[in-house]
Amino acid sequence: MNSLPTKIFYSLTGATLVASMLSCVSQKKSGERKQYNIVYIMTDDHTAQMMSCYDRRYMETPNLDRIAADGVRFTNSFVANSLSGPSRACMITGKHSCANKFYDNSTCVFDSSQQTFPKLLQRAGYQTALVGKWHLESMPSGFDYWEILPGQGDYYNPDFNENGKQIVEQGYTTDVITDKAIEYLEHRDKSKPFCMMYHQKAPHRNWMPAPRHLGMFNNTVFPEPATLFDTYEGRGSAAIEQDMSIEHTLTNDWDLKLLTREEMLKDTTNRLYQVYKRMPADVQDKWDSVYAQRISEYRSGNLRGKELISWKYQQYMRDYLATIVAVDENIGRLLGYLEKNGELDNTIIIYTSDQGFFLGEHGWFDKRFMYEESFRTPLLMRLPGGKKGDIPQLVQNIDYAPTFLELAGAPIPADIQGESLLPLLKGERPENWRNSLYYHYYEYPAEHSVKRHYGVRDDRYKLIHFYNDIDVWELYDLQEDPHEMNNLYGKPSYEAVMKRMRDELYKLQKQYDDPVGIRFNVSD
């Protein structure tokens, strides 16, 4: 990687912002408050149950656990639209998809001229940077410096777009993105506070581990989720008609890596070969050796039915978790750099994912549905001098933008729909905090065939309406039915709950000005 001083041109317009030396954010509003640096860490498709600070059954994530131990763990953190591009648009604007207009990955391009929190931070005197995955189709704006993966990016020897220049880097993507982030921090303008968005590709499909982690879970047997063999009884057609099942949708080549080198060379148009050929020769040799065991098991096992589903689930888990090991290691590298350079206690650290993910629950992989594993997202925050422990309030990714603005001492525009999390980070318990969340997923017809739907969730119940080409309602009691297996909608004993949740849904659609509420008036 070339020296960053030859690449980066910082905007020096405006007066330099003078930072105070006060040590914590809980001081009187009338006093000066230090402008914290912001490091926003986001992965792609990392579900909370695969972090040991949330769930210890599967793997250890010591560096993520460190952020949780030194700060807070949100136990009820959710997204507004469980899909990569739309979720990122909600996060960066502080608005639902109906307001930022980036509805789906297949038809939309993000309007980069609109208001975003990096632009507002620039006005407040911050230098801003984006390194890693972007996935909003348009070029980034509001950043003094950016280096992004084109589209989904590759795991090995990745291409990058560096402030408009196309380059290829050598190495494993998770490591390379961290190298770039640290080098940016080395050469930034150290007279100004910074906000760096550090976005990893992993653990996105097709889950290709770093060379040092290939095969590390080959002999691990993971517990199966209780709903792996879900038959969707009592629910509508949306759950039945999806195309994201471990049984039918995971592919033998791209996802399960069940091709030998000789077989890939016979069909060089195969997607797996296209990424395999990016690996150095020694890595290809290790890859071949590691996956030979899997290929042999599959071809000699004569697996059928549930036995085959269970086998596929184990292979999926082994690759997925191995990519997360590299993520955790690299977060440790970044935290170590900040600590070594005296910036850790002057920096708020945020860790999250663009949404949750199914790891065998309901027999699925991927996301999109408003069911818990997809709707939920991990969220850790470390604010120097702030609260430590768990935060149980309902929060959403539209809340990040106003939080960063308030931390920077910048005004929060009235059209931002999220709520600042700063009172929660300071240990306060606001009496008027929201008691429900709104969700809307739009991408249908498209990959994975998940029907369009919107819904509302409170601290106990969830109401979902699948619409467009179907008209199906689902109601779940999350206290009694945490796996969402028993649809209560239409049951006479739940009439009062249905009415209350429908009214709450319509109220939120009006509050967020979602026009679907006019077409499908839920108060009828």
Side-chain angles (χ1 to χ4, degrees):
M1 184 177 171
N2 297 325
S3 175
L4 280 179
T6 65
K7 306 174 185 174
I8 305 176
F9 297 88
Y10 296 103
S11 172
L12 297 177
T13 59
T16 301
L17 209 58
V18 180
S20 70
M21 297 304 292
L22 299 178
S23 62
C24 80
V25 75
S26 58
Q27 300 168 84
K28 293 181 180 179
K29 292 182 180 178
S30 58
E32 291 187 12
R33 179 170 55 76
K34 189 177 184 67
Q35 277 194 306
Y36 288 103
N37 301 319
I38 300 168
V39 172
Y40 175 83
I41 307 170
M42 186 163 71
T43 45
D44 195 307
D45 294 343
H46 190 187
T47 183
Q49 62 265 40
M50 297 305 149
M51 295 167 57
S52 47
C53 54
Y54 280 101
D55 189 333
R56 305 198 71 88
R57 292 177 296 165
Y58 301 96
M59 68 183 304
E60 294 296 321
T61 52
N63 295 295
L64 290 170
D65 294 0
R66 176 186 176 187
I67 300 173
D70 291 346
V72 297
R73 180 186 71 158
F74 288 83
T75 57
N76 283 300
S77 167
F78 299 86
V79 296
N81 184 345
S82 185
L83 190 62
S84 179
S87 180
R88 293 162 193 267
C90 292
M91 175 274 295
I92 204 168
T93 62
K95 301 175 183 178
H96 280 275
S97 300
C98 57
N100 65 54
K101 308 302 181 187
F102 194 92
Y103 302 104
D104 59 60
N105 284 340
S106 58
T107 66
C108 294
V109 174
F110 183 69
D111 176 8
S112 59
S113 69
Q114 67 182 294
Q115 172 186 280
T116 63
F117 81 77
K119 293 179 183 179
L120 297 172
L121 287 178
Q122 283 181 322
R123 295 177 195 170
Y126 275 69
Q127 54 190 315
T128 58
L130 166 66
V131 181
K133 188 167 182 179
W134 175 238
H135 203 219
L136 284 173
E137 305 307 323
S138 59
M139 290 297 100
S141 64
F143 298 97
D144 299 303
Y145 180 76
W146 51 269
E147 279 197 83
I148 60 171
L149 297 167
Q152 297 288 3
D154 286 294
Y155 274 109
Y156 289 92
N157 291 355
D159 298 323
F160 275 87
N161 186 327
E162 178 191 276
N163 280 16
K165 177 184 176 183
Q166 306 298 320
I167 60 174
V168 180
E169 297 288 6
Q170 301 299 304
Y172 184 66
T173 297
T174 307
D175 302 334
V176 172
I177 290 171
T178 308
D179 293 342
K180 290 177 177 293
I182 289 174
E183 192 166 354
Y184 166 77
L185 294 176
E186 273 286 293
H187 299 288
R188 65 184 174 84
D189 179 353
K190 296 181 182 178
S191 69
K192 301 172 70 176
F194 69 86
C195 173
M196 182 179 72
M197 299 174 70
Y198 163 73
H199 290 189
Q200 289 289 1
K201 168 186 172 61
H204 192 275
R205 189 181 186 186
N206 68 335
W207 318 294
M208 299 179 74
R212 62 189 178 276
H213 300 140
L214 283 168
M216 69 177 298
F217 293 115
N218 269 14
N219 297 314
T220 303
V221 178
F222 296 100
E224 294 180 353
T227 59
L228 179 61
F229 304 112
D230 192 352
T231 59
Y232 318 117
E233 293 179 18
R235 279 154 288 170
S237 58
I240 298 169
E241 295 178 15
Q242 49 66 38
D243 183 22
M244 48 189 272
S245 73
I246 288 175
E247 180 179 13
H248 299 295
T249 316
L250 279 184
T251 60
N252 284 355
D253 50 2
W254 180 245
D255 297 314
L256 297 172
K257 294 99 175 170
L258 297 176
L259 288 181
T260 65
R261 182 186 305 199
E262 291 73 20
E263 289 165 339
M264 284 189 280
L265 289 173
K266 289 179 182 177
D267 178 13
T268 57
T269 63
N270 182 279
R271 281 197 299 169
L272 184 62
Y273 175 74
Q274 296 302 310
V275 294
Y276 175 89
K277 71 180 182 180
R278 286 180 171 268
M279 303 175 192
D282 61 326
V283 177
Q284 289 181 351
D285 290 342
K286 184 173 183 181
W287 176 281
D288 295 342
S289 174
V290 165
Y291 285 101
Q293 174 184 330
R294 179 181 299 184
I295 294 169
S296 176
E297 281 183 14
Y298 177 71
R299 295 182 181 179
S300 64
N302 196 30
L303 302 171
R304 298 288 185 273
K306 289 184 177 181
E307 189 179 16
L308 178 57
I309 295 171
S310 294
W311 185 86
K312 288 183 176 182
Y313 165 76
Q314 294 296 333
Q315 315 319 311
Y316 165 42
M317 288 285 284
R318 288 164 182 167
D319 289 343
Y320 179 92
L321 268 65
T323 66
I324 294 171
V325 175
V327 168
D328 189 74
E329 289 176 350
N330 277 278
I331 288 171
R333 288 179 59 206
L334 185 60
L335 294 176
Y337 173 85
L338 292 170
E339 188 169 35
K340 179 181 177 181
N341 287 272
E343 293 287 3
L344 190 60
D345 289 331
N346 185 35
T347 302
I348 180 170
I349 309 290
I350 301 94
Y351 180 83
T352 189
S353 181
D354 52 357
Q355 68 269 315
F357 210 65
F358 293 104
L359 285 174
E361 298 89 359
H362 306 289
W364 298 334
F365 69 95
D366 210 71
K367 55 266 185 180
R368 302 166 194 265
F369 279 107
M370 195 187 171
Y371 303 132
E372 288 292 281
E373 295 84 4
S374 167
F375 185 27
R376 280 185 178 272
T377 193
L379 180 60
L380 310 174
M381 291 192 181
R382 180 190 185 276
L383 174 65
K387 173 182 168 64
K388 292 186 179 182
D390 285 350
I391 293 180
Q393 283 88 350
L394 294 170
V395 304
Q396 203 160 25
N397 60 347
I398 59 171
D399 298 333
Y400 306 167
T403 303
F404 301 154
L405 294 173
E406 186 171 8
L407 277 164
I412 301 172
D415 62 346
I416 282 185
Q417 296 174 333
E419 301 290 336
S420 172
L421 303 176
L422 188 55
L424 304 180
L425 293 173
K426 292 162 63 177
E428 299 173 7
R429 298 182 65 87
E431 293 183 2
N432 61 344
W433 194 258
R434 66 162 70 92
N435 55 25
S436 64
L437 296 169
Y438 182 61
Y439 178 88
H440 195 161
Y441 172 82
Y442 301 80
E443 191 176 90
Y444 181 85
E447 185 179 14
H448 295 305
S449 298
V450 174
K451 304 287 189 180
R452 299 184 190 191
H453 58 288
Y454 53 76
V456 61
R457 185 200 193 278
D458 64 16
D459 61 354
R460 178 165 180 174
Y461 293 100
K462 181 187 295 181
L463 179 68
I464 308 173
H465 182 211
F466 294 94
Y467 72 96
N468 186 43
D469 61 330
I470 61 173
D471 181 12
V472 174
W473 291 85
E474 295 181 3
L475 174 71
Y476 297 100
D477 181 343
L478 300 171
Q479 179 176 299
E480 300 297 324
D481 178 27
H483 299 306
E484 296 167 291
M485 300 287 283
N486 183 22
N487 179 16
L488 303 172
Y489 195 84
K491 295 183 181 296
S493 59
Y494 283 87
E495 185 174 344
V497 175
M498 286 188 290
K499 183 181 186 309
R500 178 174 64 79
M501 293 298 287
R502 285 167 69 107
D503 288 345
E504 184 70 10
L505 176 59
Y506 193 42
K507 183 193 81 172
L508 293 179
Q509 287 177 329
K510 289 194 292 185
Q511 175 181 328
Y512 297 127
D513 195 23
D514 189 344
V516 76
I518 299 171
R519 293 171 52 210
F520 300 92
N521 190 326
V522 297
S523 66
D524 291 345

